[in-house]
């Protein structure tokens, strides 16, 4: 019986984990609201999660580069499994304690910020360099599909069995992810450790040596502030003007479909200057935001969502592949954590600004300006020489054929 490859092990474990996260997203909202916590308590819990991610992401990158990545992933999954199980037990007994829930959310989110850099460091080890783009595209396709299937299945499960069942499924999904990580056979060299601050600084030096990477991080920061505004306002427009919760569900499905299409295109379309192509496809995202302004019809918004998210996911594949190809593996976790941090910092800023900006200038005007910012943030990257010139890693030469064994008479 042939062995399952490390790539397929990781893909299977992660798909189950991503689907499980969708169960917890639904379960958390339902549990808090039904316990009488309302939007205020839910906001506090979510804020604790974001704060923990921001506080731990860079340290997660350091440990991903210090240890074998799968060891970090196993530890992260174990902590998150216990956290989700504790939430299931608390709500299963009909108890609701906001401080305890905030503590559990903080611990699980902090553990999750160790998992992401470790997986960033692990993925390039699983396939040859010439297959990285295809591997990243497959992971994006699985993640996007899971982001649609997870909440849908979670909603049905929570409606039928209650919120504790959603938390329990998420805990089981972390167990599956942990089992997959334990079975991985790949190993990598790790150098001597230095102080935490020195290793953090070394990770930033790897970023600062590459103009396309520095520009991309700062461009992403601007992009995510504007996108944070958009993500709040389009929900309001969908509910107030486009048909309510049903329309919001259709739009979310269209976004997921677009993501799957973008990943499928990335499987086939492999230009030599992949990063430049990625930034070009990201310029499709403003079409999604502008569709809410004009013609402001559900059909147009659905089309814009498919087109925009296809461009976004193609860019994600191109960006991740460029980092894998051009950053030394010894620093990949730390560089990935700097990349994650810029996004996490920027998005909540945009979320907070959305309401005041819309009240002051009107929703349509703010959406139009933010769409222009998205376009400008992507277009500006093409002014950076490294972005325009960066090419894919050269394919690895094929291994020489193995000679057939000599006949027994010759061996003797």
């Amino acid at each position: 019986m042939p062995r399952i490859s490390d790539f397929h092990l990781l893909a299977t474990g992660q798909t189950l984990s991503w689907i499980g996260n969708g169960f917890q997203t639904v379960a958390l909202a339902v549990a808090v609201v039904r316990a009488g916590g309302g939007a205020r308590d839910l906001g506090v819990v979510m804020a604790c999660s974001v704060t923990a991610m921001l506080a731990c992401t860079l340290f997660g990158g350091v440990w991903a580069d210090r240890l074998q990545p799968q060891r970090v992933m196993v530890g992260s999954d174990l902590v998150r499994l216990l956290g989700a199980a504790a939430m299931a037990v608390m709500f299963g007994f009909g108890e609701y304690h906001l401080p305890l829930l905030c503590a559990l959310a903080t611990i699980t989110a902090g553990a999750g910020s160790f998992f992401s850099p470790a997986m960033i460091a692990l993925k390039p080890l699983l396939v040859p360099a010439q297959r990285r783009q295809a591997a990243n595209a497959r992971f994006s396709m699985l993640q996007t599909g899971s982001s649609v299937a997870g909440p849908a299945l979670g909603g049905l499960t929570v409606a039928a069995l209650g919120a504790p069942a959603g938390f329990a499924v998420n805990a089981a999904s972390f167990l599956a992810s942990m089992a997959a990580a334990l079975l991985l056979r790949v190993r990598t060299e790790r150098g001597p450790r230095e102080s935490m601050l020195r290793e953090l600084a070394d990770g930033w030096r790897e970023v600062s040596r590459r103009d396309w990477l520095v520009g991309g991080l700062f461009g992403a920061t601007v992009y995510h502030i504007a996108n944070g505004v958009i993500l709040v306002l389009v929900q309001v427009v969908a509910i107030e003007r486009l048909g309510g919760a049903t329309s919001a569900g259709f739009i979310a499905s269209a976004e997921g479909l677009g993501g799957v299409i973008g990943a499928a295109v990335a499987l086939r379309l492999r230009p030599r200057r992949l990063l430049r192509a990625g930034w070009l496809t990201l310029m499709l995202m403003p079409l999604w935001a502008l569709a809410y302004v004009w013609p402001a019809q559900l059909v147009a918004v659905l089309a814009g969502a498919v087109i925009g998210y296809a461009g976004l996911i193609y860019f994600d594949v191109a960006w991740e592949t460029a980092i894998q190809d051009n950053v030394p593996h010894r620093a990949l976790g730390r560089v990935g954590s700097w990349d994650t941090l810029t996004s996490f910092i920027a998005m909540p800023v945009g979320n907070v600004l959305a309401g005041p900006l819309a009240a002051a200038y009107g929703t349509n005007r703010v959406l139009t300006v933010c769409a222009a910012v998205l376009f400008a943030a992507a277009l500006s990257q093409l002014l950076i020489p490294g972005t325009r010139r960066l090419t894919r890693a050269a394919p690895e030469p094929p291994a020489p054929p193995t000679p057939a064994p000599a006949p027994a008479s010759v061996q003797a």
Side-chain angles (χ1 to χ4, degrees), residues 129-145:
Q130 67 268 27
R131 291 173 54 197
R132 285 174 184 163
Q133 181 183 340
N136 292 331
R138 288 189 176 94
F139 269 108
S140 291
M141 189 178 296
L142 291 171
Q143 186 171 13
T144 303

Side-chain angles (χ1 to χ4, degrees), residues 344-370:
F344 277 128
I345 286 178
M347 189 78 75
V349 173
N351 296 157
V352 171
L353 291 174
L357 288 175
Y361 302 104
T363 298
N364 284 356
R365 185 175 297 177
V366 173
L367 283 173
T368 302
V369 171
C370 287

Side-chain angles (χ1 to χ4, degrees), residues 3-29:
R3 280 183 171 182
I4 301 175
S5 70
D6 283 349
F7 175 84
H8 289 101
L9 275 172
L10 182 63
T12 301
Q14 273 309 284
T15 300
L16 293 173
S17 181
W18 286 325
I19 291 174
N21 286 339
F23 277 72
Q24 177 143 327
T25 299
V26 176
L28 180 64

Side-chain angles (χ1 to χ4, degrees), residues 62-88:
V62 171
W63 282 104
D65 290 334
R66 283 181 170 183
L67 304 177
Q68 295 297 327
Q70 54 267 51
R71 290 181 61 186
V72 179
M73 293 163 64
V74 168
S76 171
D77 277 335
L78 178 59
V79 173
R80 293 189 291 173
L81 184 159
L82 295 174
M87 292 181 193

Side-chain angles (χ1 to χ4, degrees), residues 52-317:
M53 287 182 185
L54 291 174
C56 297
T57 292
L58 293 180
F59 300 105
V62 171
W63 282 104
D65 290 334
R66 283 181 170 183
L67 304 177
Q68 295 297 327
Q70 54 267 51
R71 290 181 61 186
V72 179
M73 293 163 64
V74 168
S76 171
D77 277 335
L78 178 59
V79 173
R80 293 189 291 173
L81 184 159
L82 295 174
M87 292 181 193
V89 170
M90 179 174 71
F91 287 108
F93 281 99
E95 300 292 331
Y96 174 63
H97 304 287
L98 180 60
L100 176 58
L101 184 59
C102 288
L104 292 172
T106 299
I107 292 168
T108 54
S113 66
F114 279 73
F115 188 96
S116 296
M119 193 167 77
I120 289 171
L122 177 68
K123 284 196 289 185
L125 301 173
L126 305 182
V127 294
Q130 67 268 27
R131 291 173 54 197
R132 285 174 184 163
Q133 181 183 340
N136 292 331
R138 288 189 176 94
F139 269 108
S140 291
M141 189 178 296
L142 291 171
Q143 186 171 13
T144 303
S146 299
S147 70
V148 176
L153 294 173
L156 294 173
T157 301
V158 170
L161 303 175
F167 293 116
V169 170
N170 195 35
S173 76
F174 288 132
L175 180 61
S177 174
M178 185 169 63
L182 283 169
L183 292 172
L184 296 175
R185 298 178 298 275
V186 66
R187 296 292 183 269
T188 186
E189 294 285 336
R190 286 299 186 227
R193 297 180 187 176
E194 299 183 271
S195 70
M196 183 72 68
L197 291 178
R198 187 182 294 273
E199 292 189 33
L200 283 173
D202 182 60
W204 177 252
R205 277 193 295 272
E206 291 295 339
V207 173
S208 62
R209 288 172 184 157
R210 298 162 177 82
D211 62 349
W212 60 269
L213 192 47
V214 174
L217 293 187
F218 284 106
T221 300
V222 175
Y223 178 96
H224 281 298
I225 291 174
N227 199 38
V229 175
I230 292 171
L231 288 172
V232 172
L233 296 184
V234 296
Q235 296 292 330
V236 175
V237 173
I239 292 171
E240 292 184 350
R241 306 179 192 173
L242 298 180
T246 303
S247 295
F250 284 135
I251 293 168
S253 298
E255 292 167 358
L257 174 61
V260 171
I261 291 172
V265 172
L267 275 171
R268 301 294 180 185
L269 183 61
R270 305 179 187 182
R272 187 163 175 262
R273 287 183 166 82
L274 178 62
L275 183 60
R276 182 176 66 179
W279 284 111
L280 287 169
T281 60
L282 191 61
M283 294 180 195
L284 296 173
M285 272 297 281
L287 297 176
W288 161 72
L290 290 173
Y292 286 89
V293 179
W294 187 88
Q297 300 293 324
L298 180 59
V299 173
V301 170
L302 294 175
V306 172
I307 294 169
Y309 274 79
L312 173 65
I313 297 303
Y314 187 92
F315 165 78
D316 285 346
V317 172

